Amino acid sequence: MRALTANRLADGEVVFWSAGQWVERFAEAQLFQDGDPEAEAAEAHGKNQPTVVVEPYLIDLMEAEGIWAPVSYRERIRALGPTNLAHGKQEEGGAFVEALLATQGAARSSGRVNLIKRK
């Protein structure tokens, strides 16, 4: 599974693609099967929004604690907000945040690696 992520240009907030719009919560992100042409189309659409988001790319996901979570540690940090527990999305808590925090592994997301290679 994969999800599309970027940073909103107006304020730098991490955002995720969901049914034609950008949302702030990873829990609301649209999930794509590997190789799904709709994922590539969403990524291309995001790249055609240079005044809305910066550097949209697909991230790899794994199932953990009954939810889909980013494979890479970097992407889990982005999904959770700042690492300071008293701020951002982590402060909200809940089962989804707890599951993301409990996810293990530090593999790189192939989407980010491909983005780096293209530069």
Side-chain angles (χ1 to χ4, degrees):
M1 295 296 270
R2 301 177 93 188
L4 181 62
T5 186
N7 286 84
R8 192 168 42 216
L9 189 60
D11 59 5
E13 180 72 30
V14 174
V15 291
F16 302 91
W17 186 256
S18 180
Q21 64 183 359
W22 296 104
V23 295
E24 293 182 4
R25 302 288 179 260
F26 177 76
E28 300 169 8
Q30 181 176 351
L31 305 182
F32 301 99
Q33 294 288 338
D34 292 337
D36 185 347
E38 190 176 336
E40 309 302 326
E43 183 179 27
H45 181 73
K47 289 180 180 181
N48 286 323
Q49 295 181 318
T51 61
V52 178
V53 294
V54 178
E55 297 285 354
Y57 58 95
L58 291 163
I59 58 172
D60 297 321
L61 307 175
M62 63 181 178
E63 191 169 6
E65 304 275 328
I67 66 160
W68 287 96
V71 169
S72 80
Y73 183 65
R74 174 188 191 275
E75 297 305 333
R76 287 195 301 275
I77 289 173
R78 291 180 77 244
L80 287 168
T83 55
N84 180 331
L85 298 179
H87 296 93
K89 298 168 187 138
Q90 292 182 59
E91 182 181 30
E92 297 170 4
F96 191 81
V97 170
E98 294 303 318
L100 279 179
L101 288 170
T103 304
Q104 298 294 315
R108 287 183 175 240
S109 175
S110 62
R112 184 70 182 157
V113 170
N114 290 339
L115 179 67
I116 293 167
K117 288 179 181 177
R118 284 187 287 220
K119 287 188 173 184

